[in-house]
Amino acid sequence: QKDRLAEKVKQLTTERDAIAEIMCWCIERAEAAPNIAEFLTSSVLELAGDIENQTNVILARLYVISDLVCNSCAQKAGAWAFRSEFEKCLPEVFEALGAGARAVAGTPAAQKICEQLRRVMQAWGTLSVFHSNLMKGLEVSAFVQIKAWQSADVPRWLRPKFSEWQVQHFSQLEKQCRTAGLRSDSGSVKAEGATAPDEAARRNFLIDRLFTLETFLYEEKQRAMRGASRINGFEDIDGAPVGDMDLAVGAELAGEDVDGEEFEEGDLDGVRMNMDCAVPEPMSSDDEESDIDGAPVALDGSPV
């Protein structure tokens, strides 16, 4: 069956019928979901570094994966296994395709890959195939370059969580990455110059991805807060987001004599204040229909 699958994948195109055919073939063999998922994942990864020349081939294979994920709720016994199997593989696929697209940034191939990755994710989000946390991790894997925490300043708000990561065993970090939709296969990670994987290198590999995700989520939240501030009429004039303290200060000022003069009771009883100002002359009939803005108007107020 592996040879037949390999032949089908080799001949695959982006035509809808071709995608549907191989998807149905895989669903009918759901008992082999782990092997099928591994093979399809590898078929994409092997081309991720050559996006400019293999764009359509990559997309055809990505569409098969997407269709299997979307149809994992089919009545066929064991079809659900495709979702759980691809859940493990997709972070590596998305990270590899994102890195490949950034390597040729600005090219039509890179734009096409990124656009289709977003469309695939949109389809999964509409069907609620994966948990929202995993979807956010896939987004970061594809569209955010992984940051090495050792070459970056760890912000104060992240230090408590970061301290926990540093003392955790890499197996615990792998579980966190897997749940968050991040690449978690650290088994082959080696330190520079090392001949075999070591625990410190694996831990750093995983922390890099958790660090990148947390930074992205924080920045995304800050952007949302600034947007909400503008919508609600609170501009960040001083460059800092409007927070609870700003609103509290505003509440304290409500009703106070900001100009330093006391309110007079006579000004608040609803009686017109006696102000020394000239009463305007009534408008003439010509003035009532005058063109205040300079544009001619009809009697009903609409432009002529």
Side-chain angles (χ1 to χ4, degrees), residues 153-190:
D153 292 329
V154 178
R156 183 178 301 177
W157 56 267
L158 186 57
R159 289 173 188 170
K161 186 175 290 187
F162 184 80
S163 298
E164 294 178 7
W165 294 339
Q166 288 186 302
V167 298
Q168 287 178 333
H169 190 265
F170 67 81
S171 60
Q172 295 174 291
L173 296 171
E174 283 182 337
K175 184 177 180 180
Q176 291 182 52
C177 285
R178 190 162 48 249
T179 303
L182 302 171
R183 186 177 172 186
S184 60
D185 54 324
S186 65
S188 61
V189 177
K190 304 174 185 177

Side-chain angles (χ1 to χ4, degrees), residues 14-147:
T14 54
E15 294 293 326
R16 184 184 299 272
D17 291 343
I19 302 296
E21 180 184 351
I22 192 171
M23 183 270 293
C24 292
W25 187 92
C26 293
I27 289 289
E28 289 297 321
R29 292 157 181 79
E31 67 279 0
N35 294 332
I36 292 174
E38 181 181 1
F39 182 85
L40 290 174
T41 298
S42 298
S43 73
V44 175
L45 290 174
E46 67 184 13
L47 301 177
D50 191 19
I51 281 180
E52 280 194 287
N53 298 316
Q54 302 291 343
T55 306
N56 288 336
V57 179
I58 291 172
L59 290 178
R61 297 174 184 184
L62 178 65
Y63 295 156
V64 172
I65 292 175
S66 179
D67 275 15
L68 285 171
V69 168
C70 292
N71 288 280
S72 59
C73 58
Q75 295 298 320
K76 175 65 178 179
W80 58 270
F82 282 107
R83 180 175 60 183
S84 59
E85 291 299 327
F86 281 118
E87 187 174 310
K88 304 172 189 175
C89 307
L90 284 171
E92 183 178 6
V93 172
F94 274 53
E95 185 175 312
L97 291 178
R102 283 190 294 275
V104 292
T107 64
Q111 294 173 0
K112 189 172 184 179
I113 288 290
C114 291
E115 178 185 347
Q116 294 308 310
L117 282 173
R118 292 190 184 279
R119 291 187 64 181
V120 164
M121 291 186 64
Q122 184 178 10
W124 295 346
T126 301
L127 296 174
S128 300
V129 176
F130 296 123
H131 192 277
S132 58
N133 290 345
L134 188 136
M135 292 289 290
K136 186 60 67 174
L138 291 178
E139 179 184 352
V140 170
S141 297
F143 303 114
V144 181
Q145 186 163 3
I146 301 300
K147 301 177 182 178

Side-chain angles (χ1 to χ4, degrees), residues 222-295:
Q222 293 300 306
R223 287 193 297 270
M225 290 175 61
R226 289 193 292 269
S229 299
R230 286 191 291 271
I231 292 173
N232 293 327
F234 298 103
E235 294 287 346
D236 303 333
I237 300 174
D238 58 359
V242 177
D244 295 337
M245 181 61 69
D246 301 312
L247 300 179
V249 171
E252 292 176 2
L253 292 176
E256 291 191 2
D257 305 330
V258 181
D259 60 359
E261 297 183 6
E262 297 183 359
F263 289 115
E264 296 182 6
E265 295 184 0
D267 300 337
L268 303 175
D269 59 3
V271 179
R272 172 183 284 183
M273 292 184 293
N274 183 17
M275 300 182 353
D276 297 329
C277 61
V279 178
E281 294 290 334
M283 296 177 63
S284 66
S285 58
D286 292 336
D287 292 334
E288 291 175 357
E289 297 176 11
S290 61
D291 305 331
I292 298 176
D293 61 355

Side-chain angles (χ1 to χ4, degrees), residues 144 147 157 212-226:
V144 181
K147 301 177 182 178
W157 56 267
T212 302
L213 174 64
E214 291 295 336
T215 303
F216 174 82
L217 294 176
Y218 178 83
E219 293 173 351
E220 186 179 60
K221 183 178 179 180
Q222 293 300 306
R223 287 193 297 270
M225 290 175 61
R226 289 193 292 269

